[in-house]
Amino acid sequence: MSFFLLVSQVMAAAVYENDVQMEKDSLRLTILETYNLTDATEFRQSLDADNNSIVTEFEISSFKKSYLASRSPQFLDYVKVDEGNITLYIDSVSMDLYSATGNVTQAPLYVNTTINYGLTPNLGAGEHSLWVIGHPLIQRMRISLPEDTILISNDGLENVTTMKSLRDDSLELEGQSGIRNFMVGNRSTFEYAASVEFRERKFYEHSYVLPVLLGMELVLIVFAIYAKRKR
């Protein structure tokens, strides 16, 4: 989805992606948008404040300042942790436009927006949940869970795959934005959103525990054999 709604959502010449990195004390949401063809033209026209068919750096800077000032409060509605029981606050917001300056054309145009959230309180032991707003136009959504956590369930991601993160030992989910089905009282309800439940990895579930236990067992066996021979 384009969270910005800067161009018509019925246009097909755009690609939208979300990247969510969850930590125990913070969360980063990166919104990646690529506009092509008619969408790119209409976006550049929205940037072209003086309507001279040329987009300048000053016009881009003015657009970013105005847009972030008006939209930043809405960013708190994009994600929820533990069904809102964990308070999120915005640490910083940045927005970058690439290949936007120059003549108003259909050439590809890119928009990256990054919102950094803080969490109060930090995630502790036990189970937790992450909710991320969705939209049928989001072609790729990636969610990185905190390090040393285990996935319990996920809902609202289509064609989902799981993998180990390249940055640490955390788990990543990747798929397309889909429909989440949940109950409100006795009524089944639907929404475009992704919901992920996870919990902290217990000590004995770490990958290094089994080799350590086997090593200790081997040491005990060697010691028992040695003690027996000494007798």
Side-chain angles (χ1 to χ4, degrees):
M1 141 183 169
S2 168
F3 288 113
F4 304 130
L5 301 179
L6 294 172
V7 296
S8 172
Q9 293 181 345
V10 300
M11 296 292 184
V15 177
Y16 308 99
E17 304 176 46
N18 287 349
D19 191 340
V20 183
Q21 292 187 6
M22 181 82 189
E23 303 290 351
K24 294 182 178 180
D25 60 352
S26 62
L27 187 151
R28 173 177 292 180
L29 169 62
T30 303
I31 303 167
L32 310 172
E33 308 179 56
T34 302
Y35 295 95
N36 300 285
L37 305 176
T38 306
D39 282 1
T41 299
E42 294 192 10
F43 200 137
R44 287 188 172 89
Q45 288 172 343
S46 71
L47 298 172
D48 183 20
D50 57 9
N51 296 315
N52 68 346
S53 298
I54 300 176
V55 178
T56 65
E57 290 287 355
F58 178 77
E59 287 174 323
I60 291 176
S61 178
S62 297
F63 168 81
K64 289 165 56 177
K65 182 177 180 180
S66 174
Y67 183 82
L68 293 178
S70 63
R71 293 283 181 166
S72 287
Q74 298 180 18
F75 294 151
L76 289 172
D77 297 328
Y78 289 177
V79 291
K80 294 180 182 178
V81 179
D82 288 358
E83 299 182 347
N85 292 319
I86 297 290
T87 299
L88 271 68
Y89 57 91
I90 296 178
D91 273 335
S92 64
V93 181
S94 62
M95 183 180 189
D96 295 300
L97 280 71
Y98 302 97
S99 303
T101 57
N103 295 332
V104 174
T105 67
Q106 293 188 346
L109 182 153
Y110 309 93
V111 183
N112 290 2
T113 303
T114 300
I115 308 114
N116 290 301
Y117 303 86
L119 276 62
T120 303
N122 295 347
L123 298 184
E127 297 184 3
H128 298 283
S129 64
L130 170 65
W131 179 93
V132 185
I133 195 170
H135 191 278
L137 294 182
I138 298 178
Q139 297 187 15
R140 186 186 69 88
M141 181 180 289
R142 185 174 65 182
I143 299 175
S144 299
L145 299 180
E147 190 175 4
D148 290 333
T149 57
I150 291 178
L151 175 67
I152 299 174
S153 66
N154 71 88
D155 190 15
L157 283 177
E158 297 179 351
N159 303 318
V160 63
T161 59
T162 58
M163 65 200 83
K164 287 287 186 179
S165 172
L166 297 177
R167 60 190 177 91
D168 51 37
D169 195 37
S170 62
L171 187 67
E172 291 185 352
L173 297 84
E174 184 171 316
Q176 294 175 296
S177 180
I179 298 176
R180 173 178 174 251
N181 183 9
F182 59 101
M183 299 297 294
V184 176
N186 295 323
R187 186 179 63 182
S188 182
T189 306
F190 303 88
E191 67 177 0
Y192 264 104
S195 179
V196 177
E197 295 184 350
F198 58 94
R199 65 172 174 81
E200 189 173 39
R201 190 189 305 271
K202 300 183 185 303
F203 168 76
Y204 58 81
E205 294 175 318
H206 285 83
S207 59
Y208 60 78
V209 172
L210 182 58
V212 170
L213 291 177
L214 291 175
M216 292 175 61
E217 184 178 1
L218 180 60
V219 170
L220 291 174
I221 292 173
V222 172
F223 179 78
I225 294 173
Y226 174 78
K228 184 177 180 180
R229 288 182 176 178
K230 289 287 288 183
R231 290 198 299 268

